[in-house]
Amino acid sequence: MKTSTWSSLALALSVALPASADVLITEYVEGSSNNKAIEISNLGTSSVALDNWVLKLAFNSNQTFSSTIALSGSLAAGESVVVGNSNASADVTDVSQITSGSLSFNGNDVVALVDDNDNVVDSLGELALGSTYAANTTLRRKEGSTGRTDVTVAFDPAVEWQSFAQDTFDGLGCSGLEACDGGGGGGNTFTCVDETLTPTYAVQGSGARSPLVPDGSFESTDDYFVSGVVTAVTTGLYKGFWLQDANGDNDAATSDGLFVFTSQAPTDVEPGMQVCAGGKVKEFFSFTELDASGNNWEVIDTVGELAATDLVVDEGETLDDALERHEGMKVRLTQTSDMVVTRNFGFDFDAFRNNMVLSHDEPLFKPTQLHIAGSQEAADLVAENDANQLFIESDLKAPDGVVPYFPDLDAEQGYIRIGDTVTNLEGVIGYSFSDYRLVTTNTITAGDFVREQDRTAAPQSFDDTNLKVASFNVLNYFTSASAIGGDLNVTCDDQADADASRGCNRGTKDAAEFALQQAKIVNALQAMNADIVGLMEIENNGFADSGALANLVTELNSRFADETDHYTYVTPATNDLTEGAFLGGDAIQVALIYRPEKVTPASDAVVVRMPEQHISGANPDGEERQLDKFQRDSLLQTFSVVEGENLSVAVSHFKSKGSGCYEDWVAGEFNDDPADLQGRCNEFRVSAAETLGNALIDVQGDIIALGDFNAYGQEDPMRVMTDYDAANASRKIVTAAGTSIAGVTLDEMAREVGDGFGYVNLATYALGDDAFSYTFDGELGSLDHAVGNTSVVEKLTGVEDWHINSVESTLFEYSGRFTGDLVKSDNPYSSSDHDPVIVSLNYVEAPQKFTLRFKNKSFFWVQPTINGDVNPNRPWLRWKSNRKYNQNSEFVTNEGIGYGDSVSLGIRLWGFIDIPCGQVTLDEKTTAVFRRFTCNIK
């Protein structure tokens, strides 16, 4: 070993010595927690005055230094000075001559030694880059190194530095690559010998907190020592290793496992090792752990990996209760565990990583889908849902397009659907971000997802259906980007705006992505095979041939060889359009497409103008703000379905829950989910629902109002459309304040609404509580609805929320932004984020009547014939007389003749001479006239 030559710094000098280029940073320690240190050595032959010298630090990708630590005194030739973090372990502080809480860096920050003339003498890192160059490691300067004075050039530590394991401190205080003689120490000297061991289950206890942590505190007073078998080592979401007592205490109420926090998992610990660790027991945000940071553990033996414990949720306990009993343990999910997917693999904004969420027994439902907002039932379901979630995690953050524990992920075969039961997955149970998490330790295959509700190639067919009406949100179907070539939408300034990353085009700007989106949407529409479809989120770039709507319809029609199956779209009158071309003023619009062979527009389309909100107000903090909010116009078209039967379809897309309105602002809920759980702008959507309902009051015949109402089944807007009883309601429904339509004031102040409009929510009517079309944050519900009047209900043969999107992974949507190299498919699954709602109806056509007359204007008795046959009951038609047949006549019925049939008519003179009248198609009125030995049809 080298001998440390460090001596105390002189505090004053009689003569100032010049700065030396031989003063360098010779050691850099980026250890666990606050274990940070910088060693500065004088490699020259003369002392150097450090008065007014400083260490400067720049963090992350900053371009300037933001932290300074002053140096002082003189540094003799061959000596070293250590600057350590004041909160570091004793191994660092004991050998530090200068300590500062400001010495903090994380492997991607710039550290510079600056002399008294503000010259950079030496440095590590590169300004403005922020890339990691030495995280969780110790660096020592190689011999022959020179000072690095330019902090703007690329920095490669491998050129002049040698790296050592994290928390290596034994070189502090002396320059060189070897350890110091009597220096800062190093290595792991911890031992459990002669210590009293506490079993892991005694640390966990039978409650939610460790019995070793006093009430009102977050850590134990004393240190405790535990021993167990390592079941997992984690370096990402949790930093440390997981110990489990091999025998346990046979008490189901206490967990046999425990997480050991080390701040960074050691390289010498692996699953299957018997390890002893010591430290304080902590309740880290309600997660019981042993804090063994500072290398407070030792490997005792290698005994082999423990088998996972099957997770079982007992009768009468919540999932949270069961997971608390297994906290820290290695568990296995079996079919008996009954853990189903309630949120597909995707991004978790709380943990800021990709994961999946399971629930016990069945997927979770949005409380306001099933219960009236503000009700006790809704509040109870909130609590039940919160206690019924298990997040499935990988240790390290998942790369884009990869499910680490499911390498077989595939758009066609290896997919995951909400409702799947997950089996054979193993992992350790942790707790963070207020939820239990299973950190996986194995991988599973497609066969480990047990599926009751699989994909279907097409929606269900219902008997006696002769008309289908559907609603479909097409997930920002935009064509205005240069790569696609459509017209600009109403919000675009120019083509550059449509092509900009955050411009007026909300859809894809990539030709390949658009081709995939188009194929998926068209494949879904083709399989739906509906006769009338209300569309949402299609670009509002006009009704011309180069608009998004025409683009979609043209591609859809190309899939049907028979022109009777083709679609066209509803075009409102020019005077009803913004600038004579656009439906309203948003970048997206609603639209209606239909099959002309099945239905015919009975009148002009009606654009239903929706409310705007323009009002200012103060929030609870006294901040004043002007609120200007808008909604998309709705579109109403009446169709003639069969003779005497009209169906009016109104398609709407109400204001979203994503941004706040006036009511949220003044309530202090502008950036949060409101307390009633209906999302932001609820009152504004109530105003829209009332406006739509009023627009339909005078419409005659059958009515279906469909679309994306952005409200769950029992939220205020849907109750306004359906069965709200104002007189008996415990909580009154009110409109938004400061609203107007086309410049005409609607409501200056909030106003209670009257009774609901009485429409029937068709999916709820047909499917009950199983109806859903959307998922958000692990809860199912319906934002997409079709409501109908009573005459529609009488014609209903079936309703389906076709689950091609809500239960599928968003990874398979058309966008490749966060999916890496994942191979996509043009199948209809994940074609959007909303399921289509499909309503099947039966319209009974009125019996078609015909009248067939024979007129004998001769002086002879004759026999009328149909298809050569004579009526056996009335064979003769006397002179100057008529005979009438219709669809109910016995002779016609016996002949099997009906409306629209082609028949041959004739006259038999004297009973044996056939005189043809001709071939005719029977319609409302057909007449055969015999005179002068000839017969003609009129």
Side-chain angles (χ1 to χ4, degrees):
M1 285 201 173
K2 297 198 281 70
T3 300
S4 175
T5 58
W6 181 85
S7 62
S8 299
L9 292 173
L11 298 179
L13 287 174
S14 58
V15 179
L17 298 175
S20 171
D22 293 321
V23 178
L24 301 177
I25 299 172
T26 51
E27 191 146 349
Y28 162 97
V29 175
E30 204 287 284
S32 58
S33 189
N34 293 310
N35 290 334
K36 321 287 184 183
I38 293 292
E39 175 191 84
I40 302 168
S41 298
N42 183 355
L43 304 181
T45 58
S46 302
S47 295
V48 175
L50 297 183
D51 292 318
N52 298 319
W53 283 48
V54 294
L55 278 175
K56 290 189 174 184
L57 295 96
F59 301 104
N60 301 320
S61 57
N62 288 340
Q63 301 182 33
T64 58
F65 293 102
S66 57
S67 184
T68 300
I69 301 170
L71 308 177
S72 61
S74 77
L75 187 60
E79 292 189 350
S80 301
V81 58
V82 176
V83 183
N85 185 291
S86 54
N87 295 311
S89 67
D91 285 333
V92 175
T93 57
D94 286 351
V95 294
S96 298
Q97 291 74 51
I98 300 172
T99 58
S100 171
S102 299
L103 188 74
S104 180
F105 38 80
N106 293 300
N108 65 336
D109 306 315
V110 177
V111 181
L113 177 62
V114 180
D115 68 13
D116 53 355
N117 292 316
D118 207 29
N119 297 313
V120 175
V121 175
D122 198 10
S123 64
L124 298 90
E126 180 182 346
L127 274 181
L129 184 62
S131 59
T132 300
Y133 61 84
N136 310 317
T137 191
T138 291
L139 298 177
R140 291 182 190 162
R141 204 67 174 261
K142 297 176 182 177
E143 293 185 8
S145 300
T146 58
R148 179 177 178 272
T149 60
D150 188 351
V151 293
T152 65
V153 299
F155 175 63
D156 181 2
V159 176
E160 292 191 339
W161 300 81
Q162 182 171 323
S163 61
F164 294 83
Q166 185 187 30
D167 288 336
T168 299
F169 313 126
D170 59 3
L172 289 173
C174 56
S175 65
L177 295 176
E178 298 178 6
C180 300
D181 185 6
N188 188 355
T189 60
F190 173 85
T191 181
C192 285
V193 175
D194 299 328
E195 300 291 353
T196 300
L197 298 180
T198 301
T200 54
Y201 45 79
V203 174
Q204 286 282 7
S206 58
R209 289 168 53 90
S210 170
L212 306 181
V213 178
D215 291 340
S217 176
F218 296 102
E219 69 176 17
S220 62
T221 303
D222 301 322
D223 286 348
Y224 292 88
F225 298 84
V226 299
S227 180
V229 179
V230 176
T231 56
V233 178
T234 52
T235 62
L237 183 61
Y238 302 97
K239 294 178 172 58
F241 54 86
W242 307 69
L243 285 182
Q244 188 165 323
D245 189 287
N247 298 314
D249 62 350
N250 294 317
D251 183 356
T254 58
S255 169
D256 297 331
L258 181 67
F259 175 65
V260 179
F261 175 73
T262 63
S263 82
Q264 185 70 28
T267 58
D268 58 343
V269 173
E270 296 177 357
M273 288 182 172
Q274 182 82 27
V275 172
C276 181
K280 287 187 167 47
V281 177
K282 293 186 175 181
E283 287 295 328
F284 186 74
F285 293 96
S286 300
F287 181 36
T288 304
E289 64 181 28
L290 183 79
D291 188 346
S293 55
N295 296 334
N296 289 336
W297 68 84
E298 65 173 330
V299 177
I300 306 299
D301 196 4
T302 298
V303 296
E305 295 194 38
L306 295 181
T309 300
D310 289 351
L311 179 68
V312 177
V313 181
D314 291 338
E315 188 74 28
E317 72 172 347
T318 68
L319 176 61
D320 273 4
D321 293 337
L323 296 173
E324 173 61 32
R325 294 190 292 106
H326 293 85
E327 184 185 70
M329 290 180 63
K330 180 181 177 182
V331 302
R332 175 174 175 263
L333 305 184
T334 69
Q335 196 157 350
T336 305
S337 303
D338 204 12
M339 296 299 296
V340 302
V341 178
T342 193
R343 178 173 69 71
N344 217 314
F345 187 84
F347 194 72
D348 174 4
F349 283 93
D350 290 330
F352 222 71
R353 60 194 349 253
N354 287 311
N355 52 35
M356 184 171 70
V357 183
L358 308 184
S359 57
H360 181 248
D361 190 38
E362 61 184 2
L364 308 180
F365 266 78
K366 177 74 175 175
T368 51
Q369 171 68 21
L370 305 178
H371 305 293
I372 294 174
S375 66
Q376 186 59 50
E377 293 86 351
D380 291 344
L381 187 53
V382 170
E384 291 174 21
N385 286 354
D386 186 59
N388 191 13
Q389 298 181 74
L390 173 61
F391 285 70
I392 306 301
E393 304 277 6
S394 56
D395 176 27
L396 301 177
K397 287 188 176 182
D400 287 346
V402 174
V403 181
Y405 45 85
F406 181 44
D408 296 340
L409 181 69
D410 175 77
E412 296 287 353
Q413 301 294 329
Y415 49 87
I416 305 170
R417 285 170 60 90
I418 290 176
D420 290 352
T421 300
V422 181
T423 65
N424 297 322
L425 189 65
E426 297 182 2
V428 287
I429 300 294
Y431 187 88
S432 56
F433 302 102
S434 302
D435 282 296
Y436 287 96
R437 298 173 187 270
L438 183 146
V439 185
T440 57
T441 56
N442 71 334
T443 60
I444 55 178
T445 66
D448 294 318
F449 292 92
V450 180
R451 186 168 294 128
E452 292 185 10
Q453 300 289 332
D454 206 348
R455 290 171 169 176
T456 58
Q460 183 177 354
S461 295
F462 297 97
D463 291 342
D464 300 323
T465 298
N466 56 15
L467 187 76
K468 291 201 293 184
V469 182
S471 168
F472 195 23
N473 183 314
V474 294
L475 189 58
N476 290 317
Y477 189 94
F478 274 62
T479 61
S480 60
S482 295
I484 302 162
D487 289 338
L488 301 181
N489 71 59
V490 67
T491 68
C492 292
D493 294 330
D494 50 31
Q495 188 63 55
D497 188 14
D499 293 337
S501 60
R502 295 185 178 273
C504 61
N505 182 326
R506 300 179 191 174
T508 182
K509 300 168 182 64
D510 178 272
E513 284 190 2
F514 176 75
L516 178 61
Q517 179 188 25
Q518 183 187 65
K520 293 180 79 69
I521 293 291
V522 169
N523 285 339
L525 287 168
Q526 181 182 8
M528 288 160 58
N529 200 31
D531 303 302
I532 304 171
V533 184
L535 302 174
M536 289 71 64
E537 289 196 22
I538 193 158
E539 186 170 20
N540 187 12
N541 61 345
F543 295 85
D545 290 345
S546 48
L549 183 55
N551 175 285
L552 179 61
V553 170
T554 298
E555 182 64 22
L556 178 60
N557 286 341
S558 72
R559 304 297 185 87
F560 296 97
D562 188 343
E563 291 189 1
T564 62
D565 292 326
H566 284 190
Y567 293 84
T568 189
Y569 51 84
V570 171
T571 303
T574 302
N575 291 339
D576 289 335
L577 298 176
T578 304
E579 301 176 25
F582 308 105
L583 183 60
D586 196 9
I588 55 176
Q589 67 167 73
V590 299
L592 277 165
I593 65 175
Y594 66 96
R595 283 176 163 149
E597 287 292 325
K598 293 296 292 286
V599 294
T600 305
S603 59
D604 291 338
V606 176
V607 174
V608 181
R609 304 292 184 200
M610 282 290 151
E612 301 176 5
Q613 185 179 60
H614 304 285
I615 187 172
S616 62
N619 69 7
D621 295 327
E623 299 175 88
E624 190 81 16
R625 175 177 286 194
Q626 170 70 29
L627 281 303
D628 297 298
K629 299 295 177 179
F630 302 87
Q631 301 210 48
R632 289 163 285 269
D633 290 341
S634 297
L635 183 63
L636 167 65
Q637 178 67 65
T638 299
F639 295 98
S640 175
V641 182
V642 297
E643 184 178 358
E645 295 269 18
N646 285 345
L647 170 64
S648 296
V649 179
V651 56
S652 299
H653 189 181
F654 289 178
K655 178 74 174 68
S656 74
K657 299 172 179 284
S659 59
C661 291
Y662 167 79
E663 287 71 22
D664 309 302
W665 174 254
V666 297
E669 298 175 327
F670 198 71
N671 296 313
D672 304 300
D673 190 18
D676 65 5
L677 304 178
Q678 298 190 91
R680 284 162 286 200
C681 293
N682 175 65
E683 291 81 3
F684 199 28
R685 287 188 292 277
V686 168
S687 295
E690 191 180 55
T691 299
L692 176 62
N694 285 332
L696 298 175
I697 283 179
D698 295 328
V699 175
Q700 300 298 309
D702 298 338
I703 300 173
I704 294 179
L706 50 73
D708 182 355
F709 290 83
N710 269 310
Y712 291 103
Q714 290 297 319
E715 292 182 357
D716 292 348
M718 297 315 302
R719 296 181 67 207
V720 168
M721 293 300 298
T722 55
D723 59 357
Y724 176 62
D725 182 355
N728 297 310
S730 59
R731 186 184 63 83
K732 301 299 184 182
I733 296 177
V734 298
T735 65
T739 55
S740 59
I741 298 178
V744 178
T745 298
L746 182 63
D747 289 310
E748 291 184 0
M749 305 295 293
R751 169 181 53 81
E752 290 185 10
V753 303
D755 289 342
F757 289 98
Y759 292 102
V760 175
N761 192 319
L762 300 177
T764 304
Y765 174 84
L767 304 172
D769 290 346
D770 291 333
F772 68 88
S773 66
Y774 189 72
T775 182
F776 179 75
D777 203 22
E779 295 176 329
L780 296 169
S782 292
L783 297 180
D784 311 87
H785 302 277
V787 300
N789 58 4
T790 54
S791 60
V792 164
V793 174
E794 293 170 359
K795 298 177 177 67
L796 200 65
T797 59
V799 181
E800 182 174 8
D801 295 320
W802 189 28
H803 299 315
I804 57 174
N805 298 318
S806 63
V807 300
E808 296 276 346
S809 173
T810 57
L811 291 177
F812 295 124
E813 290 178 1
Y814 66 85
S815 174
R817 185 179 177 189
F818 298 114
T819 59
D821 297 326
L822 183 66
V823 177
K824 305 291 183 91
S825 167
D826 65 1
N827 63 32
Y829 314 107
S830 296
S831 54
S832 176
D833 53 345
H834 296 247
D835 290 330
V837 180
I838 305 164
V839 178
S840 295
L841 303 168
N842 175 249
Y843 276 86
V844 177
E845 297 198 23
Q848 294 176 305
K849 301 177 181 180
F850 69 86
T851 300
L852 171 60
R853 291 180 182 275
F854 287 93
K855 291 186 176 183
N856 182 6
K857 292 193 174 185
S858 73
F859 289 96
F860 307 105
W861 283 50
V862 297
Q863 293 179 333
T865 64
I866 301 176
N867 293 332
D869 294 332
V870 175
N871 184 346
N873 297 320
R874 297 182 64 193
W876 293 99
L877 179 63
R878 66 179 183 163
W879 62 284
K880 299 291 184 176
S881 62
N882 303 327
R883 181 172 298 167
K884 181 176 74 173
Y885 292 105
N886 61 31
Q887 67 280 348
N888 297 319
S889 300
E890 182 181 4
F891 174 50
V892 170
T893 302
N894 291 338
E895 290 287 310
I897 296 170
Y899 180 92
D901 287 345
S902 178
V903 296
S904 176
L905 304 180
I907 293 294
R908 189 168 294 166
L909 181 61
W910 299 317
F912 63 89
I913 300 173
D914 287 321
I915 300 173
C917 301
Q919 197 79 15
V920 67
T921 299
L922 294 179
D923 55 18
E924 287 80 2
K925 189 175 182 180
T926 304
T927 304
V929 181
F930 176 69
R931 63 160 58 95
R932 298 177 183 172
F933 301 101
T934 62
C935 185
N936 297 299
I937 295 175
K938 292 185 178 181

